[in-house]
Amino acid sequence: MLNSTIFNCNVLTLPKVHNRAGNITALNNSQDIPFDVKRVYYLYDVPGGESRGGHAHKELQQLVVAASGSFDITIDDGRNKKTVSLNRPNYGLLILPGIWRDLANFSSGAICLVLASHPYNALDYIRDYEEFIHMKLGYKKFI
Ligand code: TYD
């Protein structure tokens, strides 16, 4: 959680079985993604202009996929930030523990599919940005 950086949060190319009738992407635990999946959830019906996220996790790893439509994810490790646009179902952004994320610019009908390494646990969230910076950098950054 303390050592993770945005540079280790890569966009993974997921396998795609293509034929003229459409595509299939299958994700096998620990084979196609670097952790065991304990939970799957998806965001949908996000109203135009709304944003989601606004937190970091202490332990949780996630793979985030635009199963339909598109959206942007800004990831932040306390020192650096980058914005990744997801718009194809065969790409997934790996978000390591200790990374602040904000999701925005959802297209209409977007589905944000999340594969997660742990069951839901409210105690795993850091929802206060100053607390995040303090935990991550060990001091209070002026923000
Ligand atoms: P949250 O993770 O804050 O949503 P987002 O990051 O997409 O903005 O979760 C929103 C609410 O949904 C919160 O009250 C907890 C609940 N929730 C669950 O009950 N189980 C889950 O697996 C998730 C991800 C959220």
Side-chain angles (χ1 to χ4, degrees):
M1 131 91 194
L2 295 178
N3 297 332
S4 59
T5 73
I6 60 166
F7 305 108
N8 306 121
C9 294
N10 296 317
V11 175
L12 308 184
T13 304
L14 307 173
K16 179 165 89 172
V17 180
H18 168 79
N19 74 35
R20 63 175 182 79
N23 300 322
I24 295 179
T25 290
L27 302 175
N28 293 275
N29 253 0
S30 301
Q31 218 169 293
D32 300 302
I33 53 174
F35 56 82
D36 263 351
V37 177
K38 297 278 170 44
R39 174 170 51 120
V40 173
Y41 65 91
Y42 35 99
L43 301 175
Y44 54 99
D45 290 347
V46 179
E50 278 297 341
S51 55
R52 309 277 319 207
H55 62 257
H57 285 280
K58 296 174 192 164
E59 300 281 340
L60 192 72
Q61 293 191 55
Q62 292 162 300
L63 185 79
V64 182
V65 177
S68 184
S70 62
F71 50 85
D72 296 335
I73 309 183
T74 300
I75 51 175
D76 175 351
D77 60 20
R79 295 184 192 278
N80 296 290
K81 283 187 194 192
K82 75 175 169 187
T83 299
V84 173
S85 294
L86 291 176
N87 54 22
R88 292 293 303 153
N90 66 315
Y91 291 97
L93 175 65
L94 179 68
I95 306 184
L96 297 172
I99 300 290
W100 190 270
R101 89 290 313 274
D102 289 296
L103 287 77
N105 300 326
F106 286 85
S107 68
S108 120
I111 299 177
C112 170
L113 175 68
V114 182
L115 289 76
S117 63
H118 291 78
Y120 176 71
N121 175 7
L123 298 177
D124 190 62
Y125 283 72
I126 305 163
R127 292 191 180 275
D128 182 85
Y129 189 73
E130 265 198 75
E131 184 190 336
F132 167 71
I133 292 295
H134 187 59
M135 285 180 85
K136 205 63 188 169
L137 305 182
Y139 57 86
K140 278 200 190 283
K141 186 167 143 179
F142 180 73
I143 46 174

